[in-house]
Amino acid sequence: MLYGLYQLNLPIVSRKYNPQQGLAFRFLADTRSDSEFLDPIHGRDAVVTGHDNGLITINLAEVDDVARARLREQMQERYRTLLGHFRHEIGHYYWARLIRDDAQRLSKFRELFGDEQRDYQGALALHYSNGPPADWQRYYISPYAPMHPREDWAECWAHYMHMIDTLETAHYFGVVPAGVSELPDEGDNAHFNPAHEAFPALLERWVQLSVAMNAINRSMGLPDAYPFVLPSSAQYKLEFIHRLIAEQASVSR
């Protein structure tokens, strides 16, 4: 995940240099960690994977395949990985760094994602009580995204990072799906960064590659590697993130 952030030329400030809002990670176990591979810390409150002003907390149960699979089934999720958690939570960090204090960006964010000032705890309780809307797939990237505009943002941010990293890996292994033209050869020392492409071309490559990955997995009797569909509203959100990162990268150079 950190490699991906450096590739995108995004700012990373350690908590050492910004004790209030700098980036840091902590890994905790709680009494509900009943995996045979994890020793719960008795007396500790339940640990919730999440983000708080730059501090990202990961429940240690997420590193155990068995415990994570159990949670994936309980939450009725088709995709749950440790890397996915990191990319989702870092999305909250960059919302605060790139959007919160910029009036123009915040206005565009609200136009696409909704009002982030909406009652979060109420939205959370409603989501876990009733689940996502029946038609969520028409408008959102995942069943968790409708819960609140901030979670919709974090889900889209994570997916954008999935796209960029996977496309870069596919490029260096020479994987080019049928129907997608190869990039021009810029020499062995040239560095390929899909984030530098125009968004329509990036999206075309991603759709073709993800379909191919899923087909390969099915040939092996495995679940889809990318079990998502991108409705048009989610594509607009991903393009917003794409342009935001490109804008930030040009400022950082």
Side-chain angles (χ1 to χ4, degrees):
M1 188 269 294
L2 290 172
Y3 167 82
L5 298 178
Y6 284 117
Q7 293 299 93
L8 294 172
N9 203 28
L10 287 165
I12 303 174
V13 179
S14 167
R15 217 165 184 79
K16 175 180 178 182
Y17 301 104
N18 185 341
Q20 283 72 45
Q21 297 181 338
L23 185 62
F25 303 90
R26 62 178 183 175
F27 304 89
L28 301 174
D30 63 28
T31 55
R32 295 180 304 175
S33 301
D34 55 355
S35 164
E36 61 184 299
F37 303 107
L38 296 175
D39 294 323
I41 302 175
H42 297 289
R44 183 185 293 279
D45 293 336
V47 176
V48 178
T49 294
H51 169 268
D52 182 18
N53 289 323
L55 179 60
I56 293 176
T57 301
I58 300 291
N59 190 319
L60 276 174
E62 295 291 347
V63 307
D64 173 18
D65 292 342
V66 175
R68 190 173 60 253
R70 186 187 304 119
L71 287 169
R72 184 172 60 241
E73 293 302 316
Q74 289 176 353
M75 305 295 287
Q76 298 183 347
E77 299 172 337
R78 296 188 65 192
Y79 175 89
R80 189 183 185 102
T81 68
L82 187 58
L83 181 57
H85 281 311
F86 278 117
R87 287 173 172 165
H88 174 100
E89 300 305 338
I90 205 70
H92 291 299
Y93 171 76
Y94 281 107
W95 184 88
R97 292 219 53 180
L98 304 179
I99 293 179
R100 183 184 59 194
D101 300 324
D102 186 300
Q104 185 174 358
R105 291 176 178 178
L106 185 58
S107 176
K108 183 61 176 178
F109 168 86
R110 289 174 176 170
E111 178 184 330
L112 289 170
F113 294 88
D115 186 358
E116 83 290 349
Q117 300 175 94
R118 208 177 91 206
D119 176 24
Y120 185 89
Q121 293 303 321
L124 184 67
L126 186 64
H127 175 80
Y128 284 116
S129 174
N130 300 335
D135 61 346
W136 68 266
Q137 290 176 307
R138 295 180 57 189
Y139 307 102
Y140 295 94
I141 206 164
S142 74
Y144 188 60
M147 194 277 277
H148 191 273
R150 292 187 182 183
E151 298 305 333
D152 190 9
W153 159 267
E155 287 289 271
C156 288
W157 181 278
H159 276 70
Y160 184 78
M161 292 197 73
H162 293 333
M163 293 165 61
I164 295 300
D165 197 21
T166 307
L167 284 167
E168 181 191 17
T169 303
H171 170 78
Y172 281 113
F173 277 92
V175 178
V176 181
V180 176
S181 60
E182 291 195 49
L183 292 170
D185 185 5
E186 299 178 357
D188 293 338
N189 296 324
H191 177 71
F192 168 65
N193 189 334
H196 295 165
E197 286 194 285
F199 185 76
L202 171 68
L203 184 62
E204 178 192 6
R205 290 182 185 283
W206 175 247
V207 170
Q208 294 294 329
L209 179 63
S210 61
V211 168
M213 291 192 307
N214 289 347
I216 290 170
N217 266 28
R218 292 179 186 185
S219 296
M220 293 290 293
L222 297 171
D224 287 349
Y226 185 75
F228 302 97
V229 175
L230 299 177
S232 57
S233 58
Q235 293 177 27
Y236 295 139
K237 295 169 184 176
L238 290 169
E239 185 171 13
F240 171 66
I241 292 172
H242 180 75
R243 291 181 175 180
L244 178 67
I245 290 176
E247 177 184 325
Q248 184 62 37
S250 65
V251 170
S252 302
R253 288 195 185 99

